[in-house]
Amino acid sequence: TKLVPTDESWQGGIMQLYRAAAPTTKDILRQLSPTMRDAGVPPKIVEDRTIDESGVDGVGLLYTQIGKSGGDEVKGEDEAEGGVFGAFGFGEESVTLPTLSEDDMCVFVQPNQEVIDSIETLSTQSAASASSSGISPLIALINPQWRNVDDALDSASKSDNVFGAFASFLGGKGNSMKRLDTLGYETTYSLEGYVCKGGNIRLLKRFDSDWIAFAENDAGDAWVRVGQQADRPRYQDVEKFLDDKGVGFKYARDLGMIPKL
């Protein structure tokens, strides 16, 4: 296992993940901006942390302002540092969603279910403003904080009844996912990982591909494609992929009981 960074300074946690994701998101916005592509001029980028009500949930809203003067801007930075007031939800700035032109782009970084209302509002407003030109600004979600796999509350919250509504109130993601589906959000790129049969598994999905499952070989220096399907493979699907390829449990491979991968 290789540790990056090697000085063991990576402590994990949602705020440290945000501090890594935000600069990457800014780079993506600059590269995709039409002003950067056509004239080599980077757009103004606004990083709005007021959308993170607690200041410590690692949520941000980054968007371009094509044609606006001035350098990049950060809103709500004091609250984002998780001071005494920010940590308990006191004294935040009110969230004002941006007005986007057709050339602008907006990214919700590490959104959680508390910002679904903002995602829905901004998406609806942008779609309405684009009705005349037929072009709407790009709105994307990066590293959402809800899990792809369902727990009991997630499964229950998908029901269209009182129990489903109660499960959503308790934190089930079903209602949030329905709202995103209605807005037309689709998976553009996803890379996930877990362990199956004792070995590392990666699931890869691009906007133009099926979900593809890879298994790490026993030398730890390559990934072997073991299967693919249109829907996101469940754990049982990946287990069947491995069975079909003749891949056994890792402990048995390590002990020489069966061929290595």
Side-chain angles (χ1 to χ4, degrees), residues 30 42-47 65 68-74:
R30 292 188 187 100
K44 176 179 179 177
I45 298 177
V46 178
E47 178 183 353
Q65 294 282 265
K68 298 290 181 66
S69 60
D72 291 352
E73 180 181 350
V74 179

Side-chain angles (χ1 to χ4, degrees), residues 53-129:
E53 293 186 356
S54 71
V56 294
D57 281 339
V59 181
L61 178 62
L62 279 71
Y63 55 93
T64 62
Q65 294 282 265
I66 302 295
K68 298 290 181 66
S69 60
D72 291 352
E73 180 181 350
V74 179
K75 296 181 178 179
E77 189 173 25
D78 293 338
E79 289 81 2
E81 294 305 317
V84 173
F85 294 103
F88 290 94
F90 300 118
E92 311 96 331
E93 300 174 25
S94 60
V95 178
T96 302
L97 296 176
T99 300
L100 304 173
S101 71
E102 63 183 41
D103 289 329
D104 280 323
M105 295 167 289
C106 175
V107 176
F108 289 85
V109 179
Q110 299 188 158
N112 53 23
Q113 293 189 72
E114 283 70 28
V115 302
I116 292 293
D117 286 344
S118 296
I119 295 172
E120 188 172 47
T121 299
L122 186 59
S123 300
T124 303
Q125 289 176 350
S126 298
S129 65

Side-chain angles (χ1 to χ4, degrees), residues 164-210:
F166 184 63
S168 293
F169 174 75
L170 292 177
K173 69 181 183 184
N175 182 57
S176 298
M177 298 302 99
K178 288 179 184 177
R179 292 164 69 182
L180 291 177
D181 287 342
T182 300
L183 292 169
Y185 281 88
E186 299 180 357
T187 300
T188 303
Y189 180 85
S190 179
L191 179 62
E192 308 170 25
Y194 56 80
V195 173
C196 184
K197 286 193 165 185
N200 290 325
I201 298 294
R202 294 293 182 267
L203 299 180
L204 176 64
K205 170 75 171 78
R206 296 195 329 178
F207 66 95
D208 58 352
S209 76
D210 289 340

